[in-house]
Amino acid sequence: MEYQNIYIEEENNIATITIDRPKKLNALNKRTITELHDAFKELDGDKNIKVIIITGSGEKAFVAGADISEFAHFSVEEGGLLAAKGQEMLFSFVENLGTPVIAAVNGFALGGGLELAMSAHFRVASDNARMGLPEVSLGVIPGYGGTQRLPQLVGKGRAMEMVMTAGMINADKALSYGLVNYVVGPEELLPLCQKLAGKISNNSSVAIAHAIKAVNAGYSYDTDGYATEIDAFGACFGTQDFKEGTTAFLEKRKADFPGS
Ligand code: COA
């Protein structure tokens, strides 16, 4: 697929996906969701890509939500389908990706935008970022996993307040809530994400994929996190990365992971 609403840059085994509809504050329309799905899938299948950073173009927004103009006239069935397809194609897909995903939140992250940031494995924000789930102000609720992931990240009471008030929180509050891991000036946002990605990419990507699966299993009602951890731990012992990691340690040298 030729990308119109996103672009991808690759450097030092790190891919950065930028959502590029700045005039619409990078709102997620159907095409953008499809493009993001394809991009994440393609990059996850590329052995040279160790970490993916997702951000928005322009200075104003990460993503200001799902594109309201596309669903304003939807029926009950169409609404349900919108949430189901979106969760499957993008939000759950990103959360369960084996390649680590960092959200670089560079401005408004509202509705589907915050939901996308919360699907990433962790978040870094610029100090002008504003985050919220304004759906109830539109007569709807978060449908891309927001009612589940926000309480996981900030606790039930704070999530309930954010959802019910439809209000926005600033970057410092998001930091104090544990919604983002760092807050920096806009010009430092991507460099910090790249630095963190660089640290991650020194480690075994195979082990990291197993770790993501084990952590996520504990947040799913139909999987046992502890049992998943045991299986994943055992599976690591059959990998080249494990042989290289342990051998390098014993030989007092830096590991050079083959990624298998
Ligand atoms: N869906 C569709 N279009 C959107 C959008 C969204 N979620 N968010 C912003 N846009 C569009 C606006 O309609 C406007 O388009 P136009 O220039 O063609 O009229 C453009 O992006 C710029 O937005 P604007 O509202 O003029 O910017 P602002 O600085 O005055 O306000 C926000 C910024 C983020 C507060 C405001 O755009 C907003 O409330 N957006 C919707 C947020 C939301 O409810 N998201 C959840 C959706 S479920």
Side-chain angles (χ1 to χ4, degrees):
M1 178 184 228
E2 197 174 312
Y3 299 130
Q4 287 176 3
N5 296 343
I6 66 170
Y7 60 89
I8 303 171
E9 293 161 298
E10 296 180 16
E11 200 183 351
N12 300 329
N13 304 107
I14 300 161
T16 303
I17 303 176
T18 304
I19 302 168
D20 191 26
R21 295 182 77 212
K23 285 190 182 143
K24 294 289 172 191
L25 303 185
N26 304 319
L28 295 175
N29 61 359
K30 201 172 162 204
R31 180 168 180 116
T32 308
I33 289 181
T34 305
E35 289 187 13
L36 285 169
H37 170 85
D38 290 356
F40 276 111
K41 191 171 176 188
E42 178 190 321
L43 294 169
D44 187 49
D46 183 342
K47 278 197 78 175
N48 293 319
I49 298 301
K50 305 284 186 197
V51 182
I52 302 168
I53 297 167
I54 172 92
T55 195
S57 77
E59 283 151 25
K60 207 166 159 184
F62 172 71
V63 170
D67 193 319
I68 298 167
S69 65
E70 273 192 351
F71 63 75
H73 59 281
F74 271 14
S75 66
V76 169
E77 289 73 26
E78 288 170 318
L81 209 60
L82 179 75
K85 276 210 91 173
Q87 290 196 21
E88 183 193 329
M89 280 188 74
L90 186 58
F91 300 85
S92 299
F93 189 75
V94 167
E95 180 172 55
N96 293 305
L97 213 67
T99 307
V101 180
I102 306 173
V105 182
N106 58 312
F108 288 116
L110 302 175
L114 180 55
E115 289 172 304
L116 179 60
M118 292 193 294
S119 299
H121 298 121
F122 63 88
R123 289 142 293 284
V124 178
S126 56
D127 53 22
N128 63 333
R130 309 253 284 150
M131 285 158 257
L133 293 178
E135 284 86 348
V136 299
S137 71
L138 298 166
V140 68
I141 70 165
Y144 288 148
T147 65
Q148 305 305 299
R149 292 191 186 99
L150 188 62
Q152 287 167 9
L153 287 163
V154 308
K156 188 175 169 185
R158 287 165 171 168
M160 284 288 198
E161 183 183 337
M162 285 177 69
V163 169
M164 291 191 279
T165 61
M168 296 183 208
I169 59 170
N170 66 21
D172 285 337
K173 192 161 220 179
L175 183 66
S176 75
Y177 276 12
L179 185 53
V180 302
N181 292 10
Y182 304 91
V183 175
V184 291
E187 64 295 338
E188 295 164 74
L189 180 64
L190 284 177
L192 176 58
C193 290
Q194 280 148 3
K195 192 173 155 197
L196 293 164
K199 277 191 181 184
I200 293 169
S201 55
N202 287 333
N203 298 319
S204 161
S205 49
V206 180
I208 287 171
H210 279 301
I212 290 171
K213 196 173 168 196
V215 171
N216 283 345
Y219 289 91
S220 163
Y221 292 107
D222 53 6
T223 48
D224 177 340
Y226 291 97
T228 305
E229 181 182 279
I230 291 166
D231 287 347
F233 182 79
C236 290
F237 285 69
T239 66
Q240 293 299 316
D241 275 16
F242 175 72
K243 285 185 184 63
E244 167 60 10
T246 49
T247 305
F249 177 80
L250 295 172
E251 291 176 354
K252 299 191 188 303
R253 63 174 172 81
K254 198 171 168 286
D256 182 13
F257 291 109
S260 57

